[in-house]
Amino acid sequence: MHRIIAKKLLAPSVYMFVLEAPLVAKAAKPGNFVMVRADEKGERIPLTIVEHDEKLGTITIVVQEIGASTMKLCEYEEGSLLADVLGPCGKPTKIEKVGTVLAVAGGIGIAPLIPQIKEHMRVGNKVVTILGARTENLYVLRDTATMVSSEMILCTDDGSCGFHGFVTQALEEYIKSGKPADEVVAIGPVRMMKACADVTRKFGVKTTVSLNATMLDGTGMCGCCRVTVAGQTKFSCVDGPEFDAHEVDFDELIKRQTFFREEERLALDKHRSGEGCRCR
Amino acid sequence: MSVRDFSARPEMPKQSPEERARNFNEVAQGLSEQTAQAEAMRCLQCKTRPCVAGCPVEVPIPEFLALAAEGKFIEASLKIKEKNSLPAVCGRVCPQETQCESVCTLGKKFKPVAIGYMERFVSDYERAHSKQEVERRAADGAPKVAVIGSGPSGLTCAADLALMGYQVDIYESLHETGGVLRYGIPEFRLPKNIVDREVAYVKQLGVRIVTNAVIGMSIGLEELLEKEGYSAVFIGTGAGLPYFLGIPGENLNGVYSANEFLTRVNLMKAYKFPCYGTPVRIGKRVCVVGAGNVAMDSARTALRLGAEDVQIVYRRSRQEMPARIEEIENAEEEGVKLNLLTNPVEIVGDEQGIVKKMVCQRMELGEPDASGRRRPVPVEGSEFEIEADTVVVAIGQGPNPVLTRNTKALGLNKRGYIEINDDYGATSIPGVFAGGDIVTGAATVIAAMGAGKQAARGIDQYIRSRS
Ligand SMILES: Cc1cc2nc3c(=O)[nH]c(=O)nc-3n(C[C@H](O)[C@H](O)[C@H](O)COP(=O)(O)OP(=O)(O)OC[C@H]3O[C@@H](n4cnc5c(N)ncnc54)[C@H](O)[C@@H]3O)c2cc1C
Ligand SMILES: Cc1cc2nc3c(=O)[nH]c(=O)nc-3n(C[C@H](O)[C@H](O)[C@H](O)COP(=O)(O)OP(=O)(O)OC[C@H]3O[C@@H](n4cnc5c(N)ncnc54)[C@H](O)[C@@H]3O)c2cc1C
Ligand code: SF4
Ligand code: SF4
Ligand code: FES
């Protein structure tokens, strides 16, 4: 069992948790994630490790409520116990000194990006973070991002703050301006990552994305997270989750993410109705 | 007492096919006390004990049958446990027809003693009737051994080492123990409370189990030896990597690996969705590709989830089907259709990327190949389509790669399995032993247990030689 040491509301429907997970805390690296199962009946869901403290034996995760499992998780309070936290999963991010890195985040994509930004800064890269939200009060971890990056470009879809438009437009303008852009990392909704890949492909800038394929075990034994990269099938939980954006078949990924839509709706309705369990 | 009738091997009572095809309860119902005792009496108590040689873990078969013949069922079960710590499992899933029962003397003239049914009966009887707790071994100060994986190989190795007096810790990557016994073999063939019970027995021996610990990710193998103070390590990580066909359309929605499909249903209890959080989507028409135990389990699971039409698609003929005969018969009785000498060449989807049909080719058998089985060759121009909304790929598994990939010093063969240097499972790293599916490729529960047993002996020798 894993105790919740702290819980904090970051933005509407977005919570940060600090969890007791000594095994994970000891081995975690930027880019790794954990598989969390809240209780006996819960789903195993992947969540990125945003921070870890080996001495305290804790990890930090940021969760956005989007369906039954994440909503259930966000109902847990400080002090309560989660059934399972497994990790660290996935290949750590490859971080080398390259010059200027553009870190592009949509929504809570910034959470998994923060450990990478820090690591890029540590090895001596300049990091320009392009952070997007629908509207100003929906930013997640904006202050932390500002603190750890060399430069911030804020964007909102409605123009309420910073650049008026999508992060992809800001990204394109930045690269067009001719300022150095040696590498791009983009994390967020699949459609946003796909659009970023389309932009950077034109300019030939190396781009990495973190794919949020549906996962089951997270340890490479089911193939449910398979994605096509450079024409080959990869398991994103063990071969990724990060891949070269220019080689990913995003359309396939988008389709695969919709497979359980009906079931997800059913689970959500059941969760919202607060109806108890009828099976033994 | 009446004259012994040597020809009277009992039939296993089962739920009727119509009934069982719609529920997840165990198919086989078990023998009655009377039948079991009578069956035990059929044993000839052969001096040469051929049956024992047919069992990979050398269960003392005549001895346990003699006890059962006297009605001493609990003692009979404990007798088996001297050699086999998981009798309730083996009695259910061992391919007895090719092992212990295949060499039984009675089988020459009549039918072999139903050793599997008997093993199942006495261990179930013990479970229901014995109150006696096995004593926990005090092992403080004894050398520590780490076991990676809680499948049958790991559980057996751990139990044997605990019985020898070692402190044993099992590390398991999933949140539950049992390996394939938990996530692969379905409830209707091996109830999970039996697995729970067998694991509890291993725990009673003093074995500690750490779940959610992936060795190679959470902790390195070298770290176990160098930092965590283990004198030796056993690797029993299994063959859990699913293979795919490599044909177009395999990433469409509705195509599952058997591992994914069975894990959703068995480990995550998707058949109780939405009470349990993990969903499984099953269509009306299901094609299962492959014909081993895994394929049979997938097909029968699909029926139980409500599929209307379930077909096995296999490129060879019935004779070559690797599944146990009993399981093929069970599947057919329940309504699974066999589409033999048929090879899928493409899976086709609709606009939303959901499986719609599978294009197949008829095959015929040609010359024998390296495995001695006649090689299937495609029949020119024989393409045809099978309508399907779900495809389960059950064509085999490879070695679990996480640990081996992250442990460079470990010697592997060309196919990625761990190479062992002797009968005890010694690997290229001193003090590290391996066994089960991660060494042999997908095999049987009992072979994995046999390997775990051998490794326990090897580890004992290794530790003694160094102290
Ligand atoms: C490597 C990785 C890292 C992630 N990190 C974070 C993170 O740090 N914070 C965060 O809030 N979310 C993260 N996610 C996404 C998170 O796992 C999903 O939001 C969550 O599983 C949705 O579950 P649900 O029941 O609440 O929603 P559902 O209603 O079940 O699903 C909503 C959508 O979430 C996705 N999803 C559903 N089930 C899964 C699953 N088992 N695995 C992956 N995706 C699924 C699907 O695209 C689906 O359409 C990550 C995903 C991956 C793959
Ligand atoms: C669906 C199905 C049906 C079968 N039916 C039969 C049958 O009827 N009869 C029969 O005899 N055999 C059957 N088999 C085969 C049999 O189950 C296997 O041969 C046997 O389970 C192998 O045991 P094992 O201990 O080597 O590995 P497994 O049972 O695979 O266990 C390995 C364990 O190690 C864990 N693990 C893997 N990597 C790591 C890591 N890095 N760190 C920590 N833990 C790790 C896994 O999670 C797993 O729990 C069947 C197999 C399947 C899949
Ligand atoms: S363990 Fe399996 S092979 Fe050995 S006696 Fe029992 S059923 Fe037969
Ligand atoms: S070979 Fe058959 S008859 Fe002979 S001892 Fe073994 S079980 Fe009994
Ligand atoms: S989630 Fe099962 S293989 Fe990746």
Side-chain angles (χ1 to χ4, degrees):
Chain A
M1 298 295 257
H2 300 261
R3 188 171 301 279
I4 298 172
I5 308 286
K7 176 186 180 184
K8 191 175 149 194
L9 181 71
L10 295 184
S13 299
V14 180
Y15 292 87
M16 183 173 88
F17 290 95
V18 180
L19 307 176
E20 221 169 48
L23 270 185
V24 183
K26 221 164 132 183
K29 298 210 172 60
N32 284 148
F33 61 94
V34 282
M35 295 299 291
V36 176
R37 197 175 68 123
D39 64 25
E40 273 313 297
K41 293 182 176 171
E43 235 186 327
R44 295 165 64 102
I45 60 169
L47 297 164
T48 308
I49 304 166
V50 176
E51 236 167 51
H52 60 106
D53 187 319
E54 192 182 334
K55 276 204 216 83
L56 297 177
T58 59
I59 60 166
T60 303
I61 55 172
V62 172
V63 188
Q64 178 169 38
E65 295 178 304
I66 59 161
S69 295
T70 44
M71 279 183 191
K72 213 158 102 184
L73 184 58
C74 289
E75 284 167 10
Y76 278 70
E77 298 300 338
E78 235 168 73
S80 47
L81 299 169
L82 297 178
D84 302 291
V85 176
L86 156 79
C89 301
K91 281 199 178 142
T93 316
K94 254 208 213 112
I95 291 177
E96 285 157 0
K97 185 157 178 351
V98 291
T100 302
V101 176
L102 305 185
V104 189
I108 71 148
I110 188 63
L113 258 178
I114 282 175
Q116 297 192 29
I117 297 173
K118 283 192 195 158
E119 188 62 15
H120 275 296
M121 296 291 285
R122 200 187 60 83
V123 302
N125 288 323
K126 175 180 174 189
V127 181
V128 179
T129 299
I130 305 180
L131 179 62
R134 259 187 297 130
T135 183
E136 183 166 16
N137 69 354
L138 291 182
Y139 278 123
V140 180
L141 295 173
R142 172 179 160 181
D143 295 342
T144 315
T146 311
M147 221 160 61
V148 296
S149 314
S150 322
E151 194 182 321
M152 284 296 280
I153 300 176
L154 294 170
C155 319
T156 45
D157 298 359
D158 66 358
S160 55
C161 170
F163 179 88
H164 184 168
F166 297 138
V167 284
T168 41
Q169 295 168 309
L171 172 69
E172 181 150 8
E173 281 195 10
Y174 189 95
I175 301 179
K176 267 196 188 146
S177 75
K179 284 185 239 169
D182 299 294
E183 234 180 83
V184 172
V185 277
I187 307 187
V190 182
R191 284 171 205 283
M192 170 224 128
M193 293 193 283
K194 181 184 181 204
C196 286
D198 290 340
V199 168
T200 57
R201 189 178 289 116
K202 288 191 289 199
F203 300 96
V205 182
K206 187 182 165 221
T207 303
T208 306
V209 285
S210 179
L211 300 184
N212 39 357
T214 307
M215 293 186 183
L216 178 60
D217 61 297
T219 66
M221 54 153 266
C222 78
C224 138
C225 61
R226 61 196 189 279
V227 289
T228 303
V229 181
Q232 283 190 318
T233 295
K234 298 277 177 195
F235 289 3
S236 40
C237 67
V238 285
D239 299 324
E242 284 166 19
F243 293 101
D244 182 336
H246 299 152
E247 297 186 328
V248 172
D249 183 343
F250 285 105
D251 294 334
E252 179 185 273
L253 176 62
I254 290 169
K255 281 187 183 151
R256 282 186 66 79
Q257 281 190 333
T258 62
F259 184 45
F260 288 113
R261 188 139 292 169
E262 262 172 52
E263 287 79 5
E264 283 156 6
R265 199 171 305 134
L266 196 71
L268 192 58
D269 289 348
K270 177 174 175 291
H271 179 77
R272 286 214 173 109
S273 73
E275 197 182 299
C277 179
R278 268 176 280 115
C279 60
R280 280 180 301 139
Chain B
M1 215 180 82
S2 59
V3 183
R4 281 199 285 178
D5 176 2
F6 290 113
S7 64
R9 179 182 157 113
E11 292 281 325
M12 174 60 81
K14 291 179 191 169
Q15 285 191 67
S16 78
E18 303 73 43
E19 189 188 336
R20 73 187 192 231
R22 300 289 165 202
N23 70 49
F24 276 86
N25 301 334
E26 192 173 8
V27 168
Q29 307 276 283
L31 303 181
S32 69
E33 274 178 50
Q34 267 169 333
T35 319
Q37 196 166 357
E39 179 60 2
M41 286 180 194
R42 269 204 323 136
C43 171
L44 302 171
Q45 295 292 319
C46 313
K47 290 253 151 30
T48 50
R49 305 164 93 231
C51 50
V52 179
C55 168
V57 296
E58 300 155 19
V59 164
I61 297 166
E63 288 81 358
F64 101 75
L65 289 172
L67 288 163
E70 289 176 45
K72 294 183 178 160
F73 301 130
I74 295 178
E75 290 83 346
S77 174
L78 296 176
K79 181 51 91 185
I80 302 174
K81 282 189 174 170
E82 287 172 10
K83 291 286 182 179
N84 175 350
S85 41
L86 312 172
V89 173
C90 292
R92 286 173 166 82
V93 306
C94 257
Q96 291 97 9
E97 66 276 14
T98 60
Q99 299 184 349
C100 52
E101 293 180 15
S102 74
V103 287
C104 169
T105 315
L106 261 188
K108 291 189 188 133
K109 269 202 160 162
F110 306 106
K111 285 189 173 149
V113 175
I115 301 170
Y117 295 173
M118 287 304 301
E119 191 163 314
R120 178 196 146 114
F121 175 82
V122 298
S123 54
D124 285 1
Y125 186 95
E126 187 213 330
R127 180 159 52 103
H129 293 91
S130 109
K131 289 187 184 58
Q132 187 186 4
E133 291 263 297
V134 187
E135 217 159 280
R136 200 199 133 100
R137 306 269 154 159
D140 276 353
K144 281 173 38 173
V145 181
V147 168
I148 310 176
S150 67
S153 68
L155 288 173
T156 307
C157 186
D160 280 21
L161 286 165
L163 286 167
M164 292 176 198
Y166 292 99
Q167 287 191 69
V168 188
D169 297 339
I170 298 183
Y171 291 92
E172 166 57 50
S173 62
L174 292 173
H175 60 264
E176 292 259 30
T177 49
V180 170
L181 307 181
R182 179 81 59 182
Y183 75 75
I185 304 180
E187 177 79 16
F188 58 82
R189 210 147 68 74
L190 178 62
K192 298 310 151 220
N193 64 10
I194 306 260
V195 181
D196 290 342
R197 172 74 188 208
E198 304 281 40
V199 172
Y201 169 72
V202 175
K203 279 191 191 162
Q204 268 172 32
L205 298 175
V207 173
R208 193 173 69 114
I209 302 181
V210 186
T211 50
N212 295 317
V214 195
I215 305 304
M217 299 201 302
S218 313
I219 313 176
L221 175 70
E222 295 89 349
E223 247 178 288
L224 290 175
L225 289 166
E226 289 156 20
K227 291 202 196 136
E228 304 288 331
Y230 292 102
S231 307
V233 175
F234 173 74
I235 306 175
T237 49
L241 173 76
Y243 286 148
F244 286 92
L245 292 152
I247 61 174
E250 236 175 341
N251 292 349
L252 287 166
N253 285 337
V255 183
Y256 298 97
S257 73
N259 265 11
E260 178 186 350
F261 182 60
L262 293 171
T263 301
R264 283 184 182 278
V265 179
N266 296 330
L267 178 70
M268 304 310 294
K269 302 201 168 64
Y271 59 95
K272 294 185 181 171
F273 178 85
C275 282
Y276 280 72
T278 306
V280 66
R281 168 81 68 85
I282 189 85
K284 291 197 169 71
R285 298 178 57 93
V286 179
C287 280
V288 178
V289 184
N293 286 325
V294 184
M296 294 304 138
D297 284 345
S298 304
R300 297 172 70 194
T301 299
L303 270 184
R304 284 160 174 79
L305 291 171
E308 287 167 11
D309 179 87
V310 181
Q311 308 191 18
I312 291 277
V313 174
Y314 181 51
R315 65 200 176 110
R316 302 183 199 247
S317 72
R318 182 184 279 266
Q319 256 183 346
E320 288 85 19
M321 288 173 73
R324 293 184 59 196
I325 296 163
E326 190 182 339
E327 302 309 340
I328 300 174
E329 287 170 1
N330 277 336
E332 283 195 285
E333 273 175 25
E334 288 164 14
V336 173
K337 293 185 203 124
L338 304 185
N339 214 330
L340 303 173
L341 290 167
T342 302
N343 196 34
V345 289
E346 186 182 354
I347 305 170
V348 182
D350 63 13
E351 320 70 55
Q352 283 134 47
I354 301 173
V355 174
K356 191 164 77 176
K357 63 188 179 193
M358 196 158 79
V359 183
C360 297
Q361 212 172 23
R362 290 284 180 216
M363 309 294 276
E364 57 191 13
L365 292 181
E367 296 300 306
D369 63 11
S371 70
R373 297 184 299 179
R374 290 177 64 192
R375 186 197 307 274
V377 279
V379 176
E380 274 314 308
S382 64
E383 274 83 359
F384 70 103
E385 291 174 351
I386 306 177
E387 254 181 72
D389 37 30
T390 306
V391 173
V392 179
V393 181
I395 54 163
Q397 295 104 246
N400 267 12
V402 173
L403 173 68
T404 51
R405 193 188 272 175
N406 292 315
T407 314
K408 294 282 174 287
L410 201 57
L412 306 180
N413 68 17
K414 280 197 286 300
R415 294 162 61 217
Y417 293 101
I418 298 178
E419 219 152 39
I420 57 170
N421 305 324
D422 60 19
D423 292 348
Y424 300 108
T427 67
S428 58
I429 307 176
V432 177
F433 293 72
D437 283 3
I438 188 64
V439 170
T440 56
T444 57
V445 171
I446 194 66
M449 292 180 59
K453 241 180 165 37
Q454 282 298 97
R457 286 180 198 156
I459 288 171
D460 182 44
Q461 280 169 14
Y462 170 81
I463 294 178
R464 281 168 192 277
S465 73
R466 294 183 17 123
S467 55

